[in-house]
Amino acid sequence: MDRTTGYTDSWYRQPSPVPSGDRPAPTSQEWAVIAASWLLAVWAGDGAPGWRTEVVVGAAPERSDQHWPEPPAPAEIARLGGFPESGPGRPVAANVLTSQVQAAPGRPYEPTRPDDEATAEVLALLRERIPVTGPRGGSLLAHLADQLVGRHSDLLRVSTGEDDLHLLRRDTFGKTLRLTVATAPAVEPPPVIEADGADAALRTHLACLMTLLSGLLWVNNNNPVTFRAWIGPRGDGDPLAVAADWWRRTREEEPEEVPELRTVSVDELSRGMEHVVSGSLLDLIDEDWEGEWLEIPDDHIAGHLHRDLLDVLLARMTGPDGPPLIAYAGWLPLNGPDDEPAAEDDFNGTVVFVNGTEAAVLDIDLTC
């Protein structure tokens, strides 16, 4: 499996499995909605009632040029949301779930209703059509509702006279996203890049996890934590030598030397990842932090995301001979906030998994 990243990675953006055609590419905020809707399908339990999603991005006038205290005309909604302009499936009505309006020139834009109220209504609408089980699915569905309402968004519910749920979101700069949730014979899996072969579904799964985690975890005001992964034939040598070789071949530039990789258990790896997430989670960062690891709330989506990221890689790399050898180089805080990186100013941690036939690499980049 070639390098896999998030759909919002600034340097090595993961290719989208859905070409945008003549429509604009999704923004980072829109990818948060798309990745969440795809991941919900991955996490759907066996035997769940069927549903599918469709996402269409577009462009409308900026808010400063056109307020939405009332919904636009159906013909304009059809153009923005990629609906048919006539016949079945065309918009026939819409209502405003929330909108940013300006009471008078020079006044700030303010929502027409509290964000938590609008989010609760959107979550209820989603729950009617996306049955989720367990805390993981419920947390992700709540995260999707929060991303749709977001900050500074306008959100319409569009009716086509059918039972499907259509939500049309616009940001401050006029970027639009239409999310449709419809019933289906079975839960429709996320799209994949067919050329990825046997690992196509895995790459989409990983890219969704990395996209959502990078949207939540930040090194500073400008730099998100980013993740990258590779999987390939292990090569010759003992497992640690293989791990070192894969560390070397996945660097951006040929390194002068390969660091000593240290082996860790699954529990130690999970603890280190928990610390990375809790130390970078925007929701937990405050000015009064005193240097102790903070606990991620049980219902917070970030905890489910990082655990699934490790679970997916461990499941992929566990073979007939049992679990893989796990080794790491760089910074993986196993103990506490005072853990030092292996090299000065090196906050790029790399985990390598080695089994009898393959090696996998996970980069966790916390550099500025």
Side-chain angles (χ1 to χ4, degrees):
M1 186 183 76
D2 292 338
R3 176 174 52 211
T4 298
T5 65
Y7 296 114
T8 55
D9 191 297
S10 298
W11 294 99
Y12 301 103
R13 190 180 302 269
Q14 177 70 13
S16 171
V18 181
S20 58
D22 58 356
R23 287 185 169 266
T27 65
S28 294
Q29 287 185 330
E30 290 167 346
W31 268 121
V33 172
I34 297 168
S37 66
W38 290 352
L39 189 60
L40 277 165
V42 175
W43 284 359
D46 293 337
W51 52 272
R52 65 173 182 84
T53 60
E54 180 184 7
V55 178
V56 177
V57 298
E62 295 187 13
R63 181 177 296 122
S64 58
D65 296 325
Q66 183 187 81
H67 296 185
W68 281 6
E70 301 293 335
E76 183 176 1
I77 291 175
R79 177 182 64 81
L80 298 177
F83 292 98
E85 295 183 3
S86 61
R90 74 187 189 283
V92 296
N95 66 288
V96 176
L97 297 179
T98 188
S99 180
Q100 301 284 327
V101 296
Q102 194 177 33
R107 292 284 302 276
Y109 286 92
E110 297 178 342
T112 54
R113 62 193 298 202
D115 284 349
D116 56 353
E117 181 181 302
T119 302
E121 180 174 357
V122 172
L123 179 56
L125 292 170
L126 293 171
R127 278 180 175 151
E128 291 177 2
R129 292 160 177 81
I130 303 179
V132 295
T133 57
R136 183 172 76 167
S139 179
L140 182 55
L141 197 66
H143 183 70
L144 174 58
D146 186 65
Q147 294 301 306
L148 283 164
V149 174
R151 295 182 61 193
H152 315 303
S153 298
D154 305 313
L155 188 65
L156 309 179
R157 183 182 182 184
V158 180
S159 173
T160 61
E162 301 168 345
D163 190 47
D164 300 345
L165 174 65
H166 304 287
L167 300 172
L168 182 64
R169 177 185 180 276
R170 179 182 71 165
D171 70 13
T172 301
F173 306 103
K175 303 294 185 181
T176 62
L177 176 145
R178 186 254 291 179
L179 173 69
T180 291
V181 185
T183 57
V187 177
E188 185 175 274
V192 299
I193 299 174
E194 295 295 339
D196 287 335
D199 280 326
L202 175 63
R203 290 195 78 191
T204 297
H205 187 169
L206 289 172
C208 288
L209 292 169
M210 294 173 176
T211 299
L212 294 173
L213 280 169
S214 289
L216 295 166
L217 309 181
W218 290 82
V219 180
N220 54 31
N221 290 339
N222 299 310
N223 299 93
V225 179
T226 55
F227 301 82
R228 291 157 196 167
W230 298 257
I231 301 175
R234 78 187 297 280
D236 297 327
D238 66 75
L240 274 177
V242 170
D245 180 58
W246 267 90
W247 180 93
R248 178 190 57 78
R249 73 170 72 178
T250 52
R251 300 311 90 192
E252 294 181 23
E253 300 177 359
E254 183 68 24
E256 295 181 2
E257 59 181 350
V258 177
E260 178 183 356
L261 277 83
R262 289 146 286 180
T263 59
V264 291
S265 67
V266 172
D267 288 344
E268 288 173 322
L269 173 60
S270 298
R271 185 169 71 247
M273 180 67 86
E274 182 92 5
H275 292 163
V276 167
V277 172
S278 67
S280 309
L281 186 59
L282 191 61
D283 293 10
L284 300 184
I285 297 173
D286 65 52
E287 297 178 355
D288 298 325
W289 186 61
E290 297 181 354
E292 296 296 327
W293 289 124
L294 302 170
E295 288 192 15
I296 303 171
D298 290 340
D299 61 348
H300 199 291
I301 187 57
H304 299 293
L305 294 172
H306 82 77
R307 285 190 289 272
D308 192 43
L309 177 60
L310 294 185
D311 287 347
V312 167
L313 290 172
L314 284 167
R316 175 67 168 74
M317 297 303 295
T318 297
D321 298 331
L325 174 136
I326 307 171
Y328 80 97
W331 193 66
L332 185 68
L334 301 179
N335 300 312
D338 294 331
D339 280 7
E340 291 294 331
E344 185 178 359
D345 296 328
D346 181 7
F347 283 92
N348 186 75
T350 302
V351 183
V352 187
F353 308 79
V354 181
N355 64 23
T357 59
E358 291 182 307
V361 179
L362 173 64
D363 260 358
I364 309 164
D365 191 349
L366 293 97
T367 55
C368 298

